[in-house]
Amino acid sequence: MGNPLQLKSLNHISLVCRSLEKSVDFYVNVLGFFPIKRPSSFNFNGAWLFNYGIGIHLLQSDDPESMTKNDLHINPKDNHISFQCESMGAVENKLQQMKIEYVKNRVEENGIYVDQLFFHDPNGTMIEICNCDNIPIVPLSENKVWSCSRFNCNIQNQQQQQHIQQMIPM
């Protein structure tokens, strides 16, 4: 399949907001994004945020009252945005301090565990925080195994191991 559209990376996620101010506060103070300059030619209210190599574009809804209320049940199988973290314990402690309701989940695959925390932003968008890089990415069509957040590093390590094995006399 290759890369038919020659994609490079995820650039941004655009979210319509009930309250732009509450959403900016959430993405800045809970998730650690920072505001960046937005094109001045836009004739609608919004904000651009950036961190972790991706952008979040927040757009003020024209009809916030018609949007789904954020008292939704937290369902890990709903559409969501997922962020990798360094410490699940630190994230859980921070969510408790901020009184943000969340649901915990754990996935196990061949003795490897992935912990997940799910919660909503002020608009009802599901957010997941996980240690997903614990589980390798195994393409179905090849015998290669890559670590989710260390893709390039893992390939380099494999190449180094092959080079070392070639240098060792048999």
Side-chain angles (χ1 to χ4, degrees):
M1 286 185 202
N3 186 355
L5 299 180
Q6 299 182 8
L7 302 179
K8 297 189 312 185
S9 66
L10 176 66
N11 180 270
H12 72 273
I13 298 165
S14 186
L15 301 170
V16 176
C17 306
R18 187 176 298 106
S19 165
L20 184 63
E21 294 75 22
K22 287 180 182 178
S23 297
V24 168
D25 180 67
F26 176 87
Y27 282 92
V28 168
N29 294 312
V30 175
L31 296 180
F33 282 81
F34 56 90
I36 61 172
K37 185 170 177 9
R38 186 174 165 252
S40 58
S41 61
F42 285 146
N43 61 358
F44 54 91
N45 198 10
W48 282 13
L49 309 172
F50 186 82
N51 206 349
Y52 320 112
I54 62 165
I56 301 282
H57 294 184
L58 301 174
L59 311 173
Q60 176 61 54
S61 172
D62 291 335
D63 186 9
E65 294 305 314
S66 70
M67 292 181 65
T68 305
K69 301 297 181 199
N70 62 345
D71 59 352
L72 302 170
H73 172 71
I74 299 173
N75 180 356
K77 293 187 276 184
D78 278 345
N79 293 327
H80 60 273
I81 304 167
S82 180
F83 295 96
Q84 178 67 37
C85 75
E86 293 180 22
S87 168
M88 291 300 293
V91 170
E92 187 169 11
N93 287 338
K94 193 67 171 172
L95 292 175
Q96 289 171 351
Q97 289 172 7
M98 297 173 134
K99 297 183 179 2
I100 295 175
E101 183 183 345
Y102 62 91
V103 168
K104 288 174 75 166
N105 194 33
R106 178 173 258 197
V107 177
E108 186 271 334
E109 178 69 21
N110 295 323
I112 298 172
Y113 295 92
V114 171
D115 294 306
Q116 304 165 301
L117 297 171
F118 293 89
F119 52 97
H120 289 123
D121 78 357
N123 306 293
T125 301
M126 180 78 67
I127 306 294
E128 173 191 8
I129 308 291
C130 68
N131 58 356
C132 296
D133 68 348
N134 288 348
I135 198 160
I137 295 174
V138 181
L140 295 177
S141 61
E142 300 178 29
N143 275 341
K144 296 179 183 175
V145 177
W146 300 313
S147 174
C148 188
S149 65
R150 295 178 186 83
F151 176 82
N152 291 331
C153 178
N154 200 349
I155 289 175
Q156 290 171 352
N157 286 343
Q158 288 175 359
Q159 290 170 344
Q160 287 174 351
Q161 287 174 358
Q162 289 172 352
H163 180 69
I164 290 169
Q165 287 173 351
Q166 291 172 351
M167 295 176 68
I168 299 172
M170 298 258 178

